[in-house]
């Protein structure tokens, strides 16, 4: 069984490269071959007529899909990914995660929108609790906010302090705590021209959260993250600490539902503590390409092994799906 791992050509530091190696080694332990392919090697021409026999698909990507049994898309290059996914679908090749799911996780507002839409369609016991959130109105970078009266309406709805988040960002970066109206105004002006949102500040979970690693319909590992420096964020990259965590059945179900609502095969789900139940019971965010070294260091569970086991099972049992796709 042969597959490719798509990575970003411009993220070459040890933090990222180590995860690629872990996935490659995990594939080997499953008797699978996994080759690394950078997103710069996905460049292809669309339009202007295409060579047969691929019915209009970019020939290079169609051949790539034809030569492999699966793809792990460990990047956030959505445009390149969509082209590759179209070729994979035509060739009956499974791609993990689906590009739409990756895009939904990459954009925090899209994450909340998808979860809100899920909640609108399901029974009460299946709903996923979300923090009150307001999307900042779009403006243009060269225009900015020529009036900011809307900010007072946001403050009225969410209260102070509040959290201001850029919609695109990782490792707790681009997330800010606004203690007062002046800080909210400053951040609004600073971020104008970029997609960002305002969110209620959950004091009961300040400086602490839970990361649950979901693979398929199972939570395979979990860790409690906490700040000892007074930072309201608990991310390890920002200096947070960690310890193993045994999630309750409710917490496990919540994490799995969040991954399912977003269409993920695997991912890291971050939950916050509302303070009402003692459990982590509110969704913070979801990472489609969650780094798993910290959770391995914390729990001893190698998520790369669990991901490749899952992929092997799906691909091995997917012959009917593959034939139907062709």
């Amino acid at each position: 069984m042969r597959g490719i791992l798509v990575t970003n050509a411009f993220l070459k530091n040890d933090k990222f490269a180590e995860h690629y190696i872990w996935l490659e080694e995990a594939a080997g332990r499953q008797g699978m071959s996994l080759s690394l392919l950078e997103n710069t090697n996905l460049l292809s021409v669309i339009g202007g007529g295409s060579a047969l026999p691929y019915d209009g698909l970019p020939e290079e990507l169609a051949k790539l899909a034809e030569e492999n049994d699966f793809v792990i898309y460990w990047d956030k290059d959505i445009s390149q990914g969509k082209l590759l996914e179209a070729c994979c679908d035509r060739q009956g090749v499974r791609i993990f995660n689906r590009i739409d799911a990756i895009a939904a996780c990459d954009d925090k507002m899209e994450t909340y929108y998808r979860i809100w839409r899920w909640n609108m369609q399901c029974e009460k016991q299946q709903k996923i609790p979300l923090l009150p959130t307001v999307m900042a109105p779009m403006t243009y970078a060269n225009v900015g906010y020529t009036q900011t009266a809307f900010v007072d309406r946001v403050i009225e709805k969410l209260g102070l302090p509040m959290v201001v988040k850029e919609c695109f960002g990782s490792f707790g970066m681009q997330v800010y705590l606004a203690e007062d109206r002046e800080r909210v105004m400053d951040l609004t002006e600073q971020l104008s021209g970029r997609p960002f949102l305002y969110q209620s500040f959950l004091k009961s979970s300040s400086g602490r959260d839970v990361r649950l690693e979901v693979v398929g319909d199972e939570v395979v590992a979990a860790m409690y993250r906490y700040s000892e420096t007074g930072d309201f964020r608990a991310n390890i990259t920002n200096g947070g600490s960690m310890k193993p965590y045994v999630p309750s059945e409710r917490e496990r179900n919540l994490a799995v539902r969040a991954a399912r609502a977003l269409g993920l095969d695997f991912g890291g789900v971050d939950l916050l503590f509302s303070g009402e139940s003692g459990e982590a019971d509110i969704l913070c965010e979801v990472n489609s390409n969650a780094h798993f070294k910290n959770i391995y260091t914390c729990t001893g569970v190698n998520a790369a092994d669990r991901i490749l086991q899952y992929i092997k099972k799906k691909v091995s049992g997917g012959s009917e799906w593959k034939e139907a796709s062709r």
Side-chain angles (χ1 to χ4, degrees):
M1 192 178 295
R2 183 168 58 187
I4 56 173
L5 172 66
V6 178
T7 67
N8 192 279
F10 311 103
L11 289 176
K12 289 183 173 292
N13 60 46
D14 292 343
K15 183 172 186 174
F16 287 88
E18 188 173 26
H19 285 80
Y20 306 154
I21 293 170
W22 281 28
L23 288 164
E24 191 175 15
E25 292 175 345
R29 287 191 286 272
Q30 294 299 316
M32 306 158 74
S33 171
L34 186 64
S35 302
L36 272 63
L37 185 74
E38 295 179 340
N39 64 324
T40 51
N41 291 315
L42 298 180
L43 301 180
S44 56
V45 176
I46 60 174
S50 299
L52 295 175
Y54 298 108
D55 298 327
L57 296 176
E59 184 174 5
E60 302 91 333
L61 298 187
K63 285 182 177 179
L64 187 67
E66 188 176 58
E67 293 167 357
N68 288 277
D69 300 299
F70 66 94
V71 173
I72 303 176
Y73 202 81
W74 208 269
D75 194 17
K76 296 180 180 180
D77 189 335
I78 304 303
S79 296
Q80 303 289 352
K82 286 180 178 178
L83 286 173
L84 177 60
E85 184 177 72
C87 295
C88 287
D89 287 349
R90 184 73 66 84
Q91 299 292 342
V93 174
R94 297 292 291 266
I95 185 165
F96 306 88
N97 283 296
R98 299 286 295 182
I99 305 304
D100 183 67
I102 294 172
C105 293
D106 191 31
D107 181 342
K108 291 179 176 61
M109 194 63 215
E110 183 66 16
T111 299
Y112 301 137
Y113 168 72
R114 297 285 183 95
I115 299 298
W116 170 79
R117 192 171 67 182
W118 164 281
N119 287 344
M120 294 290 286
Q121 297 171 348
C122 67
E123 299 295 331
K124 182 177 180 179
Q125 63 270 22
Q126 294 298 314
K127 293 184 186 297
I128 299 166
L130 291 172
L131 288 170
T133 302
V134 176
M135 181 66 189
M138 191 276 284
T139 186
Y140 300 92
N142 63 332
V143 175
Y145 289 117
T146 56
Q147 60 88 7
T148 55
F150 68 89
V151 176
D152 286 317
R153 297 200 299 275
V154 173
I155 293 173
E156 182 181 348
K157 292 176 182 294
L158 302 181
L160 290 169
M162 74 170 65
V163 174
V164 180
K165 292 183 180 179
E166 296 186 43
C167 288
F168 299 92
S170 302
F171 309 114
M173 307 295 185
Q174 297 87 40
V175 180
Y176 317 95
L177 181 63
E179 297 277 3
D180 51 36
R181 181 182 182 277
E182 182 180 6
R183 178 60 171 155
V184 177
M185 287 292 187
D186 287 344
L187 287 167
T188 298
E189 295 288 354
Q190 176 186 324
L191 299 176
S192 63
R194 282 176 270 177
F196 70 98
L197 55 86
Y198 307 94
Q199 197 166 65
S200 290
F201 173 62
L202 191 59
K203 185 176 180 180
S204 56
S205 200
S206 180
R208 66 188 188 122
D209 67 12
V210 175
R211 161 63 62 86
L212 298 100
E213 188 76 28
V214 176
V215 180
D217 289 331
E218 182 183 2
V219 173
V220 300
M223 64 178 174
Y224 177 79
R225 304 186 300 188
Y226 58 100
S227 171
E228 296 181 293
T229 64
D231 195 321
F232 74 102
R233 299 163 298 179
N235 303 75
I236 307 303
T237 302
N238 288 327
S241 301
M242 59 187 177
K243 61 183 179 181
Y245 186 80
V246 180
S248 67
E249 183 178 358
R250 181 186 180 192
E251 290 167 329
R252 290 175 181 272
N253 289 339
L254 178 55
V256 169
R257 288 202 307 277
R260 188 180 299 156
L262 294 167
L264 292 172
D265 290 288
F266 51 80
V269 179
D270 297 340
L271 302 180
L272 301 175
F273 296 87
S274 70
E276 297 177 1
S277 66
E279 296 177 305
D281 52 5
I282 294 183
L283 182 70
C284 178
E285 59 185 64
V286 183
N287 193 326
S288 62
N289 300 342
H291 283 207
F292 40 74
K293 181 180 179 181
N294 285 335
I295 208 163
Y296 170 77
T297 301
C298 183
T299 68
V301 175
N302 187 340
D305 282 327
R306 303 302 291 270
I307 289 170
L308 268 297
Q309 289 168 9
Y310 170 85
I311 290 174
K312 182 178 182 179
K313 181 178 179 180
K314 286 293 183 181
V315 175
S316 297
S319 57
E320 292 182 5
W321 178 87
K322 187 169 185 177
E323 290 302 319
S325 300
R326 288 184 165 173

